[in-house]
């Protein structure tokens, strides 16, 4: 027995030595630190990813899905935050659906599909008639499995609220802005108050940002100021928007108002301007968000799916 014991002791000594050595390597390797974000995924109460502006780019989408699965194979939800297709055409919805079906084993059970402006925007149609607007909306609803362009769901007792434009590329609404009806605004007020708990995060999604100032970029919605006032009453709200194709960085999380605004990044391409006088370029970046929620704490992680690296990590606690 003593002989056996003397063999066990050195073995565990070697294991201890290797553990100390690996620990030292991790502490001195910045990349290893960033990769550790996913190590705690299974400890969170809720995990989900948000992808914006896929524009039917199934190749980039596949890279994102592969990387997300490597980060957390048991995510609770995946959110497509609008412009999932490029022109609202049936064949484009079929291409996205086929990609999702081929990746069924990698995907969470809950997939939330939100509407953007390109779901209304067939480039061959100069201006949609009212009937064409309804056709585009119905194609989206069939794809999303929803009854309206605005909808909500509860996941593990956390509220996910999706807003969406009810018009697009028509005589009554241009090809860029979201139109949020009074009925939808009233619905939002009811949903925000539903089972409201002080300090508990509420996740709200809209493809377009709330910007209503044409001098500071694309106008996201004519109703942006009204939406902003409604959401300001709920500091627990975290609003995810896409649309601008802006690059993803730590500044993508905006904490300067009562609630939190977050830009999702983009899957199809990113618009960058390297110098003030340079023409904006479209870069084939593949970036998005991976979110972890534990009690009332939300950690938003920016991810470069192509490079498989973390861009930032922002903790939000009410």
């Amino acid at each position: 027995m003593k002989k056996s014991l003397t063999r066990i002791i050195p073995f565990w000594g070697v294991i201890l030595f290797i553990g100390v050595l690996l620990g030292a390597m991790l502490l001195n390797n910045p990349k290893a630190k960033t990769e550790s974000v996913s190590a705690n995924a299974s400890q969170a109460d809720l995990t989900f990813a948000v992808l914006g502006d896929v524009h039917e780019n199934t190749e980039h989408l596949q890279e994102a899905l592969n990387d997300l699965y490597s980060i957390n194979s048991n995510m609770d939800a995946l959110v497509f935050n609008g412009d999932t297709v490029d022109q609202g055409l049936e064949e484009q919805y079929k291409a996205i659906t086929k990609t999702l079906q081929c990746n069924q084993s990698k995907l969470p059970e809950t997939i939330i599909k939100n509407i953007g402006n390109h779901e209304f925007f067939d480039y061959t149609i100069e201006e949609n008639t009212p009937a064409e607007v309804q056709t585009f909306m119905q194609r989206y609803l069939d794809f999303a499995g929803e009854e309206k362009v605005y909808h909500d769901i509860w996941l593990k007792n956390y509220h996910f609220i999706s807003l969406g434009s009810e018009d697009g590329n028509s005589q009554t609404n241009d090809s860029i802005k979201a139109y949020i009806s009074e009925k939808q605004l009233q619905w939002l007020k009811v949903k925000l108050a539903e089972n409201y708990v002080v300090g508990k995060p509420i996740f709200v999604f809209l493809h377009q940002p709330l910007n209503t100032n044409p001098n500071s970029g694309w106008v996201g919605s004519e109703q942006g100021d009204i939406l902003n006032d409604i959401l300001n009453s709920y500091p627990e709200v975290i609003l995810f928007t896409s649309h601008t194709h802006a690059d993803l960085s730590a500044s993508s999380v905006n904490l300067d108002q009562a609630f939190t605004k977050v830009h999702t990044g983009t899957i199809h391409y990113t618009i960058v301007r390297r110098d003030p006088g340079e023409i904006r370029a479209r870069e084939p970046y593949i970036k998005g968000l991976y979110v972890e929620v534990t009690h009332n704490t939300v950690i938003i992680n920016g991810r470069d799916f192509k490079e498989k690296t973390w861009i930032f990590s922002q903790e939000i606690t009410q």
Side-chain angles (χ1 to χ4, degrees), residues 81 204 206 238-242 248 251-255 257 259-265 289 291 300 312 316:
N81 201 35
V204 180
L206 175 62
I238 299 177
L239 172 68
F240 296 87
T241 63
S242 308
L248 198 62
S251 62
S252 298
V253 180
N254 186 338
L255 305 171
Q257 60 288 308
F259 62 98
T260 302
K261 295 179 181 178
V262 184
H263 170 60
T264 67
L289 304 176
V291 183
I300 299 174
F312 68 86
I316 301 167

Side-chain angles (χ1 to χ4, degrees), residues 115-117 120 163-168 173-180 206-227 239 241-244 261:
I115 197 168
N117 58 303
F120 292 96
L163 305 175
S165 183
E166 299 164 70
D167 193 3
N173 193 52
D174 67 22
S175 62
I176 296 175
K177 294 193 294 288
Y179 168 69
I180 310 297
L206 175 62
H207 176 69
Q208 290 91 338
L210 301 186
N211 177 34
T212 57
N213 182 1
N215 296 319
S216 60
W218 288 347
V219 172
S221 172
E222 297 289 0
Q223 295 78 32
D225 290 340
I226 301 172
L227 283 168
L239 172 68
T241 63
S242 308
H243 189 54
T244 64
K261 295 179 181 178

Side-chain angles (χ1 to χ4, degrees), residues 43-283:
Q43 304 299 316
D45 296 332
L46 172 73
T47 58
F48 63 94
V50 189
L51 307 180
D53 295 280
V54 176
H55 287 270
E56 201 214 349
N57 191 331
T58 54
E59 181 180 347
H60 281 193
L61 175 58
Q62 185 64 62
E63 287 195 58
L65 296 180
N66 289 343
D67 191 42
L68 283 169
Y69 186 73
S70 72
I71 292 168
N72 182 356
S73 60
N74 292 297
M75 275 197 311
D76 296 298
L78 173 63
V79 181
F80 288 99
N81 201 35
D83 282 9
T84 308
V85 295
D86 194 46
Q87 298 183 61
L89 304 177
E90 288 186 9
E91 56 265 34
Q92 295 180 350
Y93 283 117
K94 287 179 181 178
I96 294 293
T97 299
K98 182 179 179 180
T99 299
L100 297 179
Q101 288 174 341
C102 290
N103 288 275
Q104 192 169 4
S105 63
K106 296 180 179 179
L107 296 172
E109 183 177 342
T110 299
I111 301 178
I112 298 170
K113 303 165 184 174
N114 300 326
I115 197 168
N117 58 303
H118 275 259
E119 277 77 0
F120 292 96
F121 196 11
D122 181 344
Y123 303 151
T124 65
I125 300 176
E126 185 173 343
E127 185 178 274
N128 290 331
T129 64
E132 286 168 333
V133 168
Q134 293 303 313
T135 296
F136 281 119
M137 279 203 294
Q138 191 58 54
R139 286 178 189 165
Y140 156 76
L141 294 173
D142 291 342
F143 166 70
E146 301 290 349
E147 296 181 359
K148 297 178 181 177
V149 296
Y150 51 96
H151 42 86
D152 72 312
I153 187 172
W154 286 85
L155 291 175
K156 293 189 171 181
N157 293 318
Y158 291 94
H159 207 173
F160 286 64
I161 302 173
S162 296
L163 305 175
S165 183
E166 299 164 70
D167 193 3
N169 194 37
S170 67
Q171 187 176 13
T172 48
N173 193 52
D174 67 22
S175 62
I176 296 175
K177 294 193 294 288
Y179 168 69
I180 310 297
S181 68
E182 180 62 29
K183 183 177 180 180
Q184 185 175 170
L185 292 171
Q186 294 305 317
W187 173 87
L188 173 61
K189 292 178 182 179
V190 171
K191 289 299 177 179
L192 288 169
E194 185 177 293
N195 298 326
Y196 171 70
V197 177
V198 175
K200 187 168 188 175
I202 304 171
F203 304 108
V204 180
F205 303 86
L206 175 62
H207 176 69
Q208 290 91 338
L210 301 186
N211 177 34
T212 57
N213 182 1
N215 296 319
S216 60
W218 288 347
V219 172
S221 172
E222 297 289 0
Q223 295 78 32
D225 290 340
I226 301 172
L227 283 168
N228 197 78
D229 289 342
I230 293 171
L231 297 177
N232 264 331
S233 298
Y234 293 87
E236 297 84 2
V237 162
I238 299 177
L239 172 68
F240 296 87
T241 63
S242 308
H243 189 54
T244 64
H245 287 255
D247 202 2
L248 198 62
S249 67
S251 62
S252 298
V253 180
N254 186 338
L255 305 171
D256 293 339
Q257 60 288 308
F259 62 98
T260 302
K261 295 179 181 178
V262 184
H263 170 60
T264 67
T266 177
I267 297 299
H268 183 32
Y269 67 82
T270 297
I271 297 175
V272 298
R273 179 176 285 157
R274 305 201 182 281
D275 297 308
E278 186 182 15
I279 296 175
R280 296 185 303 174
R282 295 184 176 188
E283 296 290 346

